[in-house]
Amino acid sequence: MTAALRMSSLYAPTLKEDPSEADIASHRVLLRAGMVRKSAAGVYTFLPLGWRSLHKIERIVREEMDAVGSQELLMPVLQPAEIWRESSRWDAYGPELMRLKDRHEREFALGPTHEELITTLVKGELRSYRDLPVSLYQIQVKFRDEVRPRFGLLRGREFIMKDAYSFHATQSSLQRHYDAMSAAYARICERLGLTYREVEADSGQIGGKVTTEFMALAESGEAEIVYCSGCDYAADVEAASTVVPRHPAASKPAPMERVHTPGIRTIAELASFLDIAAHDTVKTMAGLAPEDRIVFFCVPGDRELNPVKADRVVPGVRLLEDEEFGARKLPKGSLGPVGAGDRWNALVVADRSLEAEVSWGVGANEDDYHFVHAMPGRDFNVDGWADLVAAQAGDACPACGADLLGARGIEVSQVFQLGTKYSDSMRAYFMDEDNVEKPFVMGCYGVGISRSLAAVAEQYADDAGCAWPVAVAPLEAAVIPLSAEEQVTSVAELLWNDLAGRAVEVVLDDRDERAGVKFADADLIGWPYQVVVGKRGVAEGVVEIKHRRTGERENVPIADAAERVAALVAEARLSLRPRTPLPASTL
Ligand code: ATP
Ligand code: MG
């Protein structure tokens, strides 16, 4: 992307103050640097500088998609309701799906994703196994009426995504492309300069390792992840299989005892009242499964139930809302497994780590009472043992046993093996080698383009603005004359022209502003290399080159300055190239 721009005519309205609507660094800096503006909650305009950075991200993504043999197309935003009904997602997607009617009262959705549309597209056209595999992608605006649009571009209601879909005759063909896509996604993160982790994510009922999320590490991230201090295992806490430390029973088996525990509601209160460790108490939560079946989930007192895992064990289960306890005569504050089967016909499912426990301290299903020394098998029944708790830092890595560390992340992209989920429901078949009609085996792959811009900003923002990596910076260099004297401006113009001639994206700060204002804006917008032209320097024949990332400054003879900046930019651009070798085409 070549460019030689003048600040005097650039539409980049910078802000001196932090806008009150922005509570995280990326949002602040994108607004303050004049890169984006909000038009409604979760809906943004990309101003020229933001749009330039976004284009750079798109370019990297396109190069990587093309390299793995995916082909670009463009599908419509407007999607007929019928295809969403066919996949059963018109209802299942819920209020996040933006819906509208045309003048003939026909229903449409604004695409939040394109599985339905693309499956409908290809099903009449890819007829034979000989036509497969095919991988297609687009870069386009998406709509999701998020419950809580926030953090600027990170969670928008209108945002830009690259979405790819692949169609295969066999699972092994899908697996090959999925692996190539995963490698491409890792390269995209690297080329954007992101510090990231590739994490195992939850694949719902499908099971198996069929989805991976790419998480840019950031304190402000909405996702919680754990990663291993010893190997490269990393997972979303919702998906991580947990190795909860087992605590051998502190006491020998004893008869179950009913204890009066007046006013005790929390695990901490109970543990201190009974004078035992929190992990020696058992927390019970009530869920409701299909067909109105009550389920009691028991987890160690110091751990949290992971609803995703609960759903894996008892499909369709959800935790009861507070107001639902009364009608079912469930004592919310003192739930426990003893008598649960008899009184509520409840299923009791307990976390595997509790198997080691000889006796439990549990709620007595009666306000202000608990049982101690309750023993599974003797005093109550456990219908199933399962991995139920959310992983947390300090747990053992399920792969190697070393300590897990915790971090927060921004999900910038995700790859997913869909299998035949959509081709089955939408009856998208091809004729296989053996003359049998079969559903396509599908994969889908998404990169949040606008979210990636914010994720980079989040990692590179500092007090002065954003120290963009060259790959994403709106422009690569700036020439900043510090005064309006002819000898200064002429050198600046000369250098600006010279840099443009060397295909460096360069801006000239030709505004009639004080030096302080120019410096502040240069650091705020974050031009990676800033050539400062001052009166004294010009008299001595030198200019100063400031490296925005490191703060390093070097004095360079005027005659060498353009060459030096061009060399720095060329070196930084090398990181635009893939660092890991491209795989042989998988298609
Ligand atoms: P999240 O869990 O954050 O809501 P998701 O898993 O629903 O995201 P996908 O359906 O996997 O999102 O979409 C692919 C990519 O699109 C995500 O990895 C993310 O980068 C981006 N994305 C999703 N929702 C939004 C949004 N509301 N605003 C900006 N980008 C988004
Ligand atoms: Mg996702």
Side-chain angles (χ1 to χ4, degrees):
M1 220 189 277
T2 55
L5 305 178
R6 288 175 180 274
M7 281 290 268
S8 57
S9 50
L10 187 66
Y11 186 58
T14 54
L15 307 174
K16 290 209 171 52
E17 304 293 327
D18 283 341
S20 59
E21 66 182 274
D23 38 20
I24 61 167
S26 56
H27 195 190
R28 267 197 299 274
V29 78
L30 288 169
L31 286 168
R32 281 197 56 201
M35 293 175 79
V36 302
R37 285 294 179 265
K38 179 164 118 178
S39 88
V43 183
Y44 287 84
T45 297
F46 291 90
L47 303 185
L49 293 182
W51 192 235
R52 290 186 64 88
S53 288
L54 204 77
H55 269 307
K56 291 187 169 183
I57 297 174
E58 290 183 356
R59 196 181 112 197
I60 290 173
V61 171
R62 281 199 171 92
E63 281 178 16
E64 294 296 340
M65 289 301 97
D66 296 346
V68 295
S70 201
Q71 302 167 55
E72 186 167 3
L73 48 49
L74 184 64
M75 290 180 271
V77 170
L78 205 57
Q79 306 186 11
E82 294 87 76
I83 61 174
W84 284 80
R85 293 214 165 86
E86 232 182 288
S87 70
S88 305
R89 284 212 290 183
W90 183 255
D91 293 326
Y93 215 95
E96 246 180 58
L97 189 64
M98 297 254 198
R99 299 158 210 250
L100 62 130
K101 286 183 182 161
D102 70 6
R103 62 173 74 199
H104 306 293
E105 293 288 300
R106 285 188 206 111
E107 291 177 298
F108 288 86
L110 297 179
T113 176
H114 279 67
E115 283 83 6
E116 281 79 0
L117 205 126
I118 201 160
T119 306
T120 308
L121 175 82
V122 302
K123 76 175 175 185
E125 320 254 14
L126 297 173
R127 296 207 175 83
S128 155
Y129 71 95
R130 283 189 219 92
D131 302 330
L132 302 173
V134 167
S135 178
L136 301 164
Y137 77 94
Q138 65 173 346
I139 294 181
Q140 202 213 35
V141 65
K142 294 276 186 280
F143 293 85
R144 294 184 186 179
D145 200 355
E146 300 272 358
V147 193
R148 286 189 71 197
R150 58 184 181 152
F151 297 155
L153 301 182
L154 283 182
R155 187 166 296 283
R157 295 195 298 163
E158 175 178 332
F159 57 95
I160 299 172
M161 195 202 286
K162 185 285 300 179
D163 46 329
Y165 307 87
S166 67
F167 300 86
H168 308 262
T170 62
Q171 169 62 31
S172 58
S173 164
L174 168 63
Q175 186 68 49
R176 276 196 301 281
H177 193 52
Y178 177 86
D179 291 343
M181 274 286 187
S182 303
Y185 273 39
R187 280 193 302 274
I188 290 167
C189 288
E190 282 172 26
R191 293 177 62 179
L192 295 180
L194 288 171
T195 303
Y196 73 102
R197 287 284 184 293
E198 203 170 317
V199 309
E200 274 177 30
D202 179 64
S203 52
Q205 297 303 326
I206 301 168
K209 197 195 162 199
V210 293
T211 178
T212 302
E213 290 169 344
F214 293 78
M215 295 279 185
L217 300 186
E219 266 313 304
S220 58
E222 292 182 277
E224 243 182 289
I225 67 171
V226 285
Y227 63 98
C228 183
S229 54
C231 70
D232 59 9
Y233 175 84
D236 200 306
V237 288
E238 294 204 324
S241 25
T242 330
V243 186
V244 177
R246 294 187 176 216
H247 302 280
S251 58
K252 290 216 164 57
M256 184 168 82
E257 218 180 291
R258 184 161 161 274
V259 186
H260 188 49
T261 48
I264 288 190
R265 288 284 175 276
T266 67
I267 287 291
E269 287 164 3
L270 180 68
S272 97
F273 183 87
L274 297 176
D275 197 22
I276 56 175
H279 63 245
D280 281 333
T281 65
V282 170
K283 187 153 68 181
T284 304
M285 263 143 305
L288 189 66
E291 296 176 8
D292 228 31
R293 186 81 193 265
I294 300 283
V295 188
F296 278 18
F297 292 104
C298 299
V299 299
D302 59 343
R303 304 295 301 228
E304 296 305 323
L305 174 72
N306 175 345
V308 176
K309 290 183 180 173
D311 182 72
R312 221 179 277 165
V313 185
V314 185
V317 76
R318 63 169 178 82
L319 289 183
L320 282 182
E321 304 287 341
D322 283 357
E323 57 276 11
E324 293 175 297
F325 280 78
R328 297 172 188 277
K329 299 204 167 52
L330 286 162
K332 185 172 175 347
S334 60
L335 284 186
V338 180
D342 295 339
R343 279 179 68 185
W344 295 282
N345 188 29
L347 265 180
V348 176
V349 184
D351 188 68
R352 218 160 248 143
S353 66
L354 293 171
E355 271 182 298
E357 219 81 4
V358 176
S359 62
W360 299 10
V362 298
N365 293 324
E366 185 183 353
D367 284 345
D368 294 338
Y369 284 93
H370 280 82
F371 288 122
V372 291
H373 308 306
M375 234 175 114
R378 184 188 70 184
D379 304 312
F380 61 93
N381 193 34
V382 173
D383 299 289
W385 300 93
D387 175 9
L388 288 178
V389 304
Q392 65 186 39
D395 287 351
C397 168
C400 78
D403 278 354
L404 289 181
L405 306 172
R408 303 193 69 86
I410 297 165
E411 179 200 316
V412 285
S413 52
Q414 181 165 23
V415 291
F416 208 103
Q417 295 191 21
L418 294 168
T420 58
K421 182 172 162 168
Y422 293 92
S423 42
D424 277 332
S425 62
M426 304 189 73
R427 306 159 60 77
Y429 304 128
F430 68 98
M431 190 63 78
D432 207 357
E433 243 171 324
D434 50 9
N435 262 333
V436 176
E437 269 204 330
K438 293 179 186 161
F440 297 119
V441 182
M442 291 172 57
C444 71
Y445 319 86
V447 176
I449 301 281
S450 46
R451 185 182 280 186
S452 291
L453 176 60
V456 174
E458 197 59 29
Q459 291 189 350
Y460 286 88
D462 57 22
D463 290 343
C466 193
W468 295 106
V470 169
V472 186
L475 282 93
E476 294 162 328
V479 178
I480 306 171
L482 294 184
S483 61
E485 282 114 331
E486 218 278 319
Q487 66 269 41
V488 173
T489 56
S490 62
V491 169
E493 293 265 352
L494 216 67
L495 286 173
W496 176 62
N497 270 309
D498 196 347
L499 283 166
R502 293 168 193 264
V504 170
E505 303 165 9
V506 60
V507 62
L508 175 69
D509 194 347
D510 58 344
R511 295 175 301 170
D512 183 16
E513 289 283 5
R514 286 181 295 113
V517 171
K518 291 186 177 185
F519 286 141
D521 277 347
D523 281 352
L524 173 60
I525 300 170
W527 315 119
Y529 299 104
Q530 302 167 10
V531 185
V532 181
V533 186
K535 193 172 164 187
R536 196 184 323 148
V538 168
E540 291 166 12
V542 295
V543 291
E544 185 185 73
I545 299 173
K546 176 178 167 187
H547 302 220
R548 174 66 177 83
R549 280 281 296 289
T550 58
E552 190 186 325
R553 293 161 193 272
E554 44 181 311
N555 280 326
V556 180
I558 293 169
D560 303 339
E563 193 184 337
R564 173 70 182 143
V565 172
L568 287 167
V569 166
E571 197 187 317
R573 278 186 194 159
L574 281 181
S575 72
L576 274 174
R577 304 244 169 79
R579 283 183 210 163
T580 29
L582 290 173
S585 173
T586 51
L587 290 169

